[in-house]
């Protein structure tokens, strides 16, 4: 089957009676939700109707570098390309977004993102809620600022580059002040953090407990009881929530974070100063029987550090600063350009992104330990084309939401990953590893690697 994804200008309405121009997929804000079935070989036709180059990264898709696993192909204006892939991974919630270095955060603000699912027919026996949009509901969460005309606005200032953008308004699936009607029974929520920098620490307003059933790479071995879960940019979780006793609201706390400079620690306050609502849920009786929470979900993956053939270390750091002109400090809407100023540069192991350089070479079919170090602040680290298990966080046991199969993880100080490389990526189409705070990636916190 062929799926067409056209990058083009369009229109969306975030505030009543205020339609505004956006840049999205197939003409709207956020693209269509794709459903890929394990064992099939879909063709993704990408079409660029913009006046500049663009691409699409399938975040979480385990595919060869040249077939959607990395940031290629890059499409010139008016060009199109077909990506042929074989879907061969566990059932999971993925997403996609444009990944042109220097433009990623702006493109995300403009609307270039969307949802993708991998379905495994073998998972149907679990009996999970599966009525799409009724008891199986996606929540792609983003934070935004808006001007009086209803446009999402973004200015690439030095502070935004250093700390990432955080907005005061929350969009869910492109909707402000989102409200969802749910049946008065067990509901599955697929939550995607589609923000450029904000970390959500989600819970329900009435403090009800829920079951965490999946993370980035698919199902956990068994459901895990939780009442709060952290989800950093690029991460995905799936939870089961019982609405038998009525509705509530999904909430988050402010995303204050630390900046560590030598022996001094500075608290960087969020623009939001109190707990805030992500989405309200109203219940409706539909007379259908409730699904049951399965006792087991998936076989427990083996995480044996002894299987690693090599250990690598990656230090994510704020580098120096360079003068950046207003014209190169791209902005999402007219009038929001930053004035010329010194812009931070971000680096991994002392090097900023160079698309002509290969930073690491990995052997296909091997397993390695990657130690990720974040000396100055927390960074969500994403690895393309492969999945990993978190061995430890700051030398201790991983948080409950970091114990499944992952491709993105928030590194607060130091995190050790056990990574298995199952798909190839050559020098002509390498994978990337990078900070998922898109302002940091745009400022150079990206590395390249081959798997051969």
């Amino acid at each position: 089957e062929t799926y067409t994804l056209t990058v083009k200008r369009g229109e969306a309405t975030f505030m009543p009676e205020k339609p505004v121009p956006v840049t999205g997929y197939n003409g709207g804000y956020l693209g269509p939700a794709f459903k890929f079935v394990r064992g099939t070989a879909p063709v993704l036709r990408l079409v660029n109707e913009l006046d500049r180059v663009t691409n699409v990264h399938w975040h979480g898709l385990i595919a060869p570098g040249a077939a959607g696993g990395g940031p290629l192909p890059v499409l010139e204006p008016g060009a199109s390309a077909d990506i042929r892939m074989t879907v061969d991974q566990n059932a999971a919630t993925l997403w996609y977004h444009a990944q042109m270095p220097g433009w990623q955060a702006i493109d995300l603000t403009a609307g270039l993102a969307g949802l993708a699912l991998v379905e495994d027919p073998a998972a149907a026996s679990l009996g999970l809620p599966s009525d799409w949009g009724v008891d199986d509901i996606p929540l792609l969460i983003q934070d935004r600022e808006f001007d009086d005309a209803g446009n999402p606005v973004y200015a690439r200032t030095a502070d935004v580059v250093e700390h990432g953008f955080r907005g005061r308004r929350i969009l869910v699936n492109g909707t402000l002040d989102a409200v969802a009607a749910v049946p008065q029974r067990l509901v599955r929520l697929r939550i995607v953090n589609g923000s450029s920098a904000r970390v959500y620490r989600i819970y329900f307003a009435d403090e009800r407990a829920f079951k965490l059933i999946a993370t980035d790479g698919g199902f956990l071995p068994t459901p895990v009881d939780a009442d709060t879960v952290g989800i950093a940019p690029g991460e995905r979780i799936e939870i089961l929530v019982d609405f038998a006793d009525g509705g509530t609201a999904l909430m988050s706390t402010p995303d204050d974070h630390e900046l560590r400079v030598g022996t001094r620690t500075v608290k960087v306050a969020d623009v939001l100063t109190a707990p805030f609502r992500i989405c309200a849920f109203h219940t409706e009786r539909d007379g259908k029987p409730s699904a049951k929470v399965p006792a087991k979900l998936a076989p427990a993956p083996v995480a044996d550090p002894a299987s690693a053939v090599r250990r690598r270390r990656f230090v994510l750091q704020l580098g120096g600063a360079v003068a950046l002109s207003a014209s190169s400090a791209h902005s999402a809407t007219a009038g929001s350009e930053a004035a010329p100023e010194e812009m931070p540069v971000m680096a991994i192991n002392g090097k900023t992104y160079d698309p002509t350089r290969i930073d690491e070479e990995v052997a296909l079919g091997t397993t390695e330990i990657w130690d990720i170090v974040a000396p100055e602040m927390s960074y969500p680290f994403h690895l393309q084309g492969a999945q990993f298990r978190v061995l430890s966080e700051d030398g201790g046991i991983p948080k409950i939401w970091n114990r499944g199969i992952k491709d993105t993880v928030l590194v607060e100080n130091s995190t050790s990953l056990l990574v298995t490389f199952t798909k190839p990526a050559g020098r002509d189409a390498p994978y990337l590893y990078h900070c998922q705070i898109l302002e940091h990636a745009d400022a150079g916190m990206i590395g390249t690697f081959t798997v051969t």
Side-chain angles (χ1 to χ4, degrees):
E1 188 170 358
T2 298
Y3 301 90
T4 299
L5 201 58
T6 303
V7 189
K8 60 193 294 186
R9 297 289 287 168
E11 189 176 85
T13 302
F14 302 101
M15 298 179 179
E17 300 179 6
K18 292 184 177 181
V20 296
V22 295
T23 302
Y25 296 112
N26 295 358
Y29 184 87
L30 300 182
F34 289 93
K35 185 179 290 185
F36 303 134
V37 178
R38 185 172 193 171
T40 63
V43 176
L44 301 169
R45 178 163 297 150
L46 311 178
V47 181
N48 182 14
E49 293 187 0
L50 302 182
D51 59 2
R52 60 178 175 86
V53 295
T54 191
N55 64 357
V56 183
H57 169 51
W58 298 87
H59 187 122
L61 187 70
I62 310 305
L72 295 178
V74 172
L75 299 179
E76 297 292 332
S80 63
D82 286 353
I83 293 178
R84 290 172 169 82
M85 66 173 76
T86 298
V87 180
D88 182 23
Q89 64 191 92
N90 294 330
T93 299
L94 317 179
W95 70 305
Y96 60 94
H97 59 88
Q99 194 175 41
M100 291 302 302
W103 284 91
Q104 294 181 76
I106 289 158
D107 281 344
L108 192 69
T109 302
L112 286 171
L115 188 76
L117 310 180
V118 174
E119 286 206 337
D120 186 345
S125 63
L126 295 174
L128 292 168
S130 58
D131 191 351
W132 185 249
V134 178
D135 62 6
D136 184 359
I137 300 174
L139 304 175
L140 198 159
I141 308 171
Q142 301 172 300
D143 57 338
R144 292 284 177 267
E145 290 285 348
F146 292 90
D147 63 16
D148 291 342
N151 294 288
V153 293
Y154 179 90
R156 193 175 184 224
T157 65
D159 278 350
V160 166
V161 172
E162 183 169 339
H163 299 287
F165 171 84
R166 288 167 182 80
R168 294 175 175 83
R169 304 294 301 275
I170 303 300
L171 289 174
V172 177
N173 301 344
T175 301
L176 276 173
D177 304 319
V179 179
V182 293
Q184 209 159 340
R185 47 189 169 88
L186 197 68
V187 171
R188 178 184 187 177
L189 301 179
R190 301 173 185 257
I191 302 176
V192 179
N193 185 341
S195 296
S196 64
R198 179 178 293 280
V199 176
Y200 298 92
R201 295 167 184 86
I202 64 167
Y203 64 97
F204 286 99
D206 60 1
E207 300 182 347
R208 72 179 62 186
F210 51 85
K211 302 283 188 181
L212 177 66
I213 62 168
T215 55
D216 302 339
F219 292 123
L220 301 172
T222 59
V224 175
D225 292 315
D227 55 20
T228 304
V229 171
I231 179 168
E235 290 187 304
R236 293 87 64 206
I237 59 170
E238 296 182 28
I239 63 175
L240 295 178
V241 189
D242 191 349
F243 286 103
D245 293 331
T248 183
L250 189 68
M251 306 287 293
S252 182
T253 55
D255 185 24
D256 302 329
H257 65 281
E258 290 183 349
L259 177 63
R260 301 180 287 270
V261 183
T263 58
R264 189 166 61 97
T265 299
V266 178
K267 181 180 178 182
V268 182
D270 189 3
V271 294
L272 293 172
T273 58
F276 56 91
R277 190 183 83 179
I278 295 172
C279 182
F281 294 95
H282 294 169
T283 55
E284 300 175 347
R285 292 186 180 275
D286 64 1
K288 295 182 180 179
S290 179
K292 306 295 183 185
V293 178
K296 295 183 178 180
L297 294 163
V302 176
D304 180 12
S307 65
V309 300
R310 180 168 176 175
R311 192 161 199 149
R312 301 177 198 250
R313 177 180 169 90
F314 300 86
V315 182
L316 282 55
Q317 264 183 307
L318 175 65
V322 295
L324 192 67
S325 69
S327 61
S328 60
H330 317 295
S331 56
T333 60
S336 67
E337 282 195 347
E341 58 182 314
E342 292 288 304
M343 286 290 180
V345 173
M346 300 289 179
I348 300 178
N349 291 345
K351 296 182 288 187
T352 60
Y353 174 59
D354 180 349
T356 67
R357 183 187 69 225
I358 300 300
D359 294 301
E360 306 289 338
E361 296 178 337
V362 174
L364 180 64
T366 61
T367 297
E368 298 188 353
I369 294 175
W370 284 25
D371 295 316
I372 319 300
V373 183
E376 296 151 336
M377 67 178 84
S378 298
Y379 298 106
F381 180 82
H382 173 52
L383 180 68
Q384 293 182 354
Q387 295 174 328
F388 55 76
R389 301 295 306 279
V390 179
L391 295 176
S392 65
E393 292 187 84
D394 303 337
I397 298 172
K399 299 176 183 68
I400 61 168
W401 53 86
N402 287 335
R403 296 180 193 172
I405 299 170
K406 301 279 291 170
D407 55 55
T408 310
V409 65
L410 183 65
V411 180
E412 298 185 63
N413 294 283
S414 64
T415 301
S416 292
L417 314 176
L418 189 69
V419 194
T420 300
F421 301 92
T422 61
K423 300 293 181 181
R427 299 181 73 88
D428 56 337
Y431 293 132
L432 305 182
Y433 53 85
H434 60 89
C435 179
Q436 189 63 35
I437 293 176
L438 295 184
E439 289 80 9
H440 292 175
D442 285 339
M445 196 175 276
I446 301 175
T448 62
F449 70 105
T450 59
V451 180
T452 56

